[in-house]
Amino acid sequence: MSDPRETDPILDPKYDAAGLITAVVTARDGALLMVAHMNAEALAATQSSGEATFWSRSRGRLWKKGETSGNVLRVVEMRIDCDQDALWIIADPAGPASAAIRTGLIDDPTRADLLGSWALDTDRVCVVPGAKGRLRLGALVDYGEGQGCAASGTARRSGDRVQMTFGACRFEARFEGDRIVFPAELPASCDSLCTGRASLAALTVERLSTSTAEAETLRTPGGKLLCPTASAN
């Protein structure tokens, strides 16, 4: 028997078992801005505020794009596919950085330096110089209730793409100048880096500092350096 939501014109999103629906966000010209997830509360917040709000699986809470940097996504139009199991959001990127780029006042932020400290709430990422063209990388997710992720590894950047390696866990993240975005889906080999319900998937952090000296001091809850040198214990 078919689901009436697939033929009914009334908006009635088909959320998955976790209560989420995929949201694809593009600019007016069709350029892909991001892929994230929404639950019913995030969708309602987006509709009421006009600014894209998502559900962060790594933090277990609502997250509005640009809530720290001010670079929000102002919704122009929202569409849903015929099965009502995926959203398409057309948005205008806002904020001081995107406005300056459009007017040519500053360079494209994807050319910005990746080095330094990155954060959102209690989540942290450090990026410092490494050896043989690679960068040293660390990621820390605090899910709460004693659950979290702690990973140290290496990274190699190519434009707005960052190939990250944490042992057997390997994936490509996106660098947007003012933030680093981990993919929403990660290999199963990354699961061992986290405890409980915590995950590195969809981790999004914004620039905290450009100081590599400061980034090198970041530590895990157990006291280990997050971006250790080769000789660090």
Side-chain angles (χ1 to χ4, degrees):
M1 184 175 179
S2 63
D3 190 325
R5 286 177 292 190
E6 297 179 7
T7 56
D8 197 323
I10 297 175
L11 177 65
D12 185 15
K14 189 188 299 181
Y15 298 101
D16 64 17
L20 301 175
I21 188 171
T22 300
V24 178
V25 186
T26 68
R28 294 185 193 231
D29 62 3
L32 179 64
L33 298 177
M34 65 184 297
V35 178
H37 293 86
M38 288 183 169
N39 59 7
E41 188 178 359
L43 178 57
T46 299
Q47 291 174 309
S48 63
S49 69
E51 296 177 345
T53 301
F54 307 98
W55 176 258
S56 171
R57 296 186 299 177
S58 62
R59 289 172 289 278
R61 67 168 181 83
L62 292 181
W63 167 69
K64 184 175 80 170
K65 165 66 177 81
E67 63 186 8
T68 301
S69 67
N71 298 334
V72 299
L73 292 172
R74 296 197 175 113
V75 176
V76 176
E77 185 177 350
M78 293 180 66
R79 302 179 184 179
I80 195 164
D81 74 338
C82 59
D83 295 330
Q84 299 220 45
D85 60 1
L87 288 167
W88 176 19
I89 300 173
I90 302 171
D92 287 332
S98 59
I101 293 164
R102 288 195 298 272
T103 57
L105 295 178
I106 63 173
D107 292 334
D108 186 335
T110 59
R111 299 176 184 173
D113 196 346
L114 182 64
L115 299 177
S117 303
W118 303 79
L120 187 62
D121 295 331
T122 56
D123 298 339
R124 295 288 186 272
V125 169
C126 56
V127 185
V128 300
K132 298 180 180 179
R134 289 188 176 273
L135 303 170
R136 286 183 283 133
L137 172 73
L140 182 68
V141 171
D142 181 7
Y143 190 84
E145 301 178 353
Q147 304 173 70
C149 308
S152 297
T154 61
R156 188 184 295 274
R157 178 185 171 191
S158 177
D160 63 350
R161 302 293 170 178
V162 184
Q163 187 64 43
M164 298 186 171
T165 301
F166 298 108
C169 172
R170 299 180 180 182
F171 57 87
E172 185 178 80
R174 191 170 72 251
F175 176 52
E176 298 181 351
D178 62 343
R179 67 176 191 161
I180 301 171
V181 182
F182 285 33
E185 301 293 336
L186 294 179
S189 55
C190 300
D191 294 347
S192 62
L193 301 174
C194 304
T195 60
R197 293 172 292 174
S199 173
L200 290 173
L203 173 63
T204 300
V205 287
E206 301 181 349
R207 187 178 293 281
L208 180 65
S209 170
T210 58
S211 169
T212 56
E214 182 177 319
E216 288 177 330
T217 66
L218 292 179
R219 294 179 179 270
T220 68
K224 293 184 178 181
L225 290 172
L226 200 58
C227 281
T229 61
S231 59
N233 294 323

